[in-house]
Amino acid sequence: MKKLLLACALSACAVPAGAGDRVGTPVSGEIITGWQQADGTRISAVRLTLAPGWKTYWRAPGDAGIPPDFTWNGSRNLAGVAISWPAPEVFEQNGMRSIGYSEQVVIPLSIAPTDKDAPVTLNLRMDIGVCRDICVPETLHLDATLQAGSTRIVPAIAAALAERPLSAQEAGASGVTCTLSPTKDGLRVTAQLGVAHTGGQEYVVIEAGRPDVWVSETTTVRAGNTLSATAEMIPGGAAPLAIDRSKMRFTVLGTSRAVDLKGCTPG
C-alpha cells in the first residue's frame, strides 16, 4: 500500500470507492492453462487485455507506475510460482518514465506442484495499476485448474516466453561491475555493463534486490560495448541501507532486444 500511495502521488492516481463507480473496466484478465514438463512443473500464464489507450506495469514500474502484486491464497497443490516477464515498453508520463505494457500482455508462470501427479488449483488475486490520463488500482480475481499430463505446447505462452529479456550468456554480455557510494538519503550506484548495443535509445533499469528500496531513473552513457548507468537508491525506512550486490538486477531495454543481468561485482 505504501508503494501504491507513492505511485499515486507521482502520477495523478485516482482511487475509486468501488468498481461500480466507473463505467466499464480498463483491464480484463484470465489464466491460460498450459502444459506439464517432464519434472511435473506446469507452465501456465496470465493474460491481461487492456482497453484502448490504457497500460499496465512491469515488475519494476518506474517512477510513474504502480508495482504489480500476486497473491496465491486459497490455491491447492501449489508449492511455488516463478514469473517470467516479457520485455516491457518504456513510456513517458507526466515528465517521468514508466515501464510496462499496452494492449495485451501474456505473463508466463512456472508452477511447482506439491504432488506432480495431481491437478493444481490456482486462486490468484492480482493487484495492478492501470493508467491512461490518470492511474487507478485494479484487483483481478482469477482461477483455473491445471490438469496433470498434458504436454501440448500453447503457442501464446511459448511466444511470451520467447519475448523475455536475454540472459547474460545468451547476449554474450561480460557482466556488471558497480560502485556504491553514500549520499544524504541513501546510496548512489554507478554500474558498468559489458553488453553490446541493444538498439536505438537504451534504458537501464536497476533493481536493488530489496522491495523496500526505491531506485531512481538511470542516466546512461555508452562507449563501445560498455554501458554506464547511474542511479540513486533510497530506503523506505530509517534503518541504514545495506545492499547485497549479488541480488541486484540490471535490465537493458533497447529497440532490438532486452538483456537481463543479475548481480554485480565491486568496480
Side-chain angles (χ1 to χ4, degrees), residues 31 46 70-76 78 81 83 109 111 122-125:
I31 293 177
V46 172
F70 294 73
T71 304
W72 301 96
N73 295 339
S75 298
R76 296 193 296 274
L78 179 63
V81 180
I83 301 171
L109 308 171
I111 309 292
L122 297 180
N123 187 353
L124 169 61
R125 171 179 168 144

Side-chain angles (χ1 to χ4, degrees), residues 2-3 6 59-63 67 180-181 183 185-189 205-217 231-245 247-249:
K2 289 181 179 179
K3 291 182 179 179
L6 175 60
R59 64 167 191 263
D63 279 347
L180 303 177
S181 55
T183 64
D185 298 313
L187 293 172
R188 177 177 294 109
V189 54
V205 181
I206 300 177
E207 297 169 78
R210 286 177 44 175
D212 61 330
V213 175
W214 173 82
V215 183
S216 72
E217 295 179 5
E232 303 293 325
M233 297 191 294
I234 300 175
L241 178 54
I243 296 295
D244 182 347
R245 284 182 170 86
K247 295 182 179 179
M248 293 180 67
R249 197 165 186 174

Side-chain angles (χ1 to χ4, degrees), residues 14 30 94 100 104 107 121 139 148 153 164 167 174 205 209 222 234:
E30 63 176 324
N94 299 326
Q104 188 177 96
I107 305 170
T121 300
T139 298
I153 304 298
R164 65 173 176 76
S167 68
S174 59
V205 181
R222 175 168 286 283
I234 300 175

Side-chain angles (χ1 to χ4, degrees), residues 10-252:
L10 292 171
S11 57
C13 181
V15 181
D21 297 334
R22 301 196 306 277
V23 177
T25 302
V27 62
S28 62
E30 63 176 324
I31 293 177
I32 306 174
T33 57
W35 63 92
Q36 180 173 335
Q37 301 191 122
D39 64 356
T41 301
R42 315 293 163 79
I43 303 301
S44 181
V46 172
R47 175 159 49 205
L48 301 178
T49 302
L50 296 141
W54 290 82
K55 57 182 177 289
T56 191
Y57 294 103
W58 187 51
R59 64 167 191 263
D63 279 347
I66 299 172
D69 183 67
F70 294 73
T71 304
W72 301 96
N73 295 339
S75 298
R76 296 193 296 274
N77 193 31
L78 179 63
V81 180
I83 301 171
S84 296
W85 293 93
E89 304 173 61
V90 178
F91 305 102
E92 297 295 334
Q93 177 182 343
N94 299 326
M96 292 178 291
R97 187 180 304 158
S98 61
I99 303 166
Y101 308 97
S102 58
E103 298 182 1
Q104 188 177 96
V105 59
V106 174
I107 305 170
L109 308 171
S110 179
I111 309 292
T114 304
D115 178 357
K116 69 177 184 178
D117 297 319
V120 177
T121 300
L122 297 180
N123 187 353
L124 169 61
R125 171 179 168 144
M126 191 173 181
D127 292 301
I128 61 174
V130 292
C131 289
R132 190 170 64 180
D133 300 321
I134 60 172
C135 294
V136 296
E138 287 283 344
T139 298
L140 302 175
H141 295 276
L142 309 176
D143 57 76
T145 298
L146 312 181
Q147 299 293 341
S150 175
T151 58
R152 183 178 180 181
I153 304 298
V154 176
I157 302 177
L161 287 168
E163 292 173 0
R164 65 173 176 76
L166 300 176
S167 68
Q169 182 176 2
E170 291 168 334
S174 59
V176 182
T177 61
C178 65
T179 300
L180 303 177
S181 55
T183 64
K184 177 182 177 182
D185 298 313
L187 293 172
R188 177 177 294 109
V189 54
T190 302
Q192 307 293 322
L193 290 69
V195 59
H197 203 288
T198 56
Q201 183 173 359
E202 296 176 294
Y203 300 92
V204 177
V205 181
I206 300 177
E207 297 169 78
R210 286 177 44 175
D212 61 330
V213 175
W214 173 82
V215 183
S216 72
E217 295 179 5
T218 60
T219 57
T220 60
V221 177
R222 175 168 286 283
N225 285 335
T226 300
L227 186 60
S228 300
T230 302
E232 303 293 325
M233 297 191 294
I234 300 175
L241 178 54
I243 296 295
D244 182 347
R245 284 182 170 86
S246 69
K247 295 182 179 179
M248 293 180 67
R249 197 165 186 174
F250 305 81
T251 305
V252 184

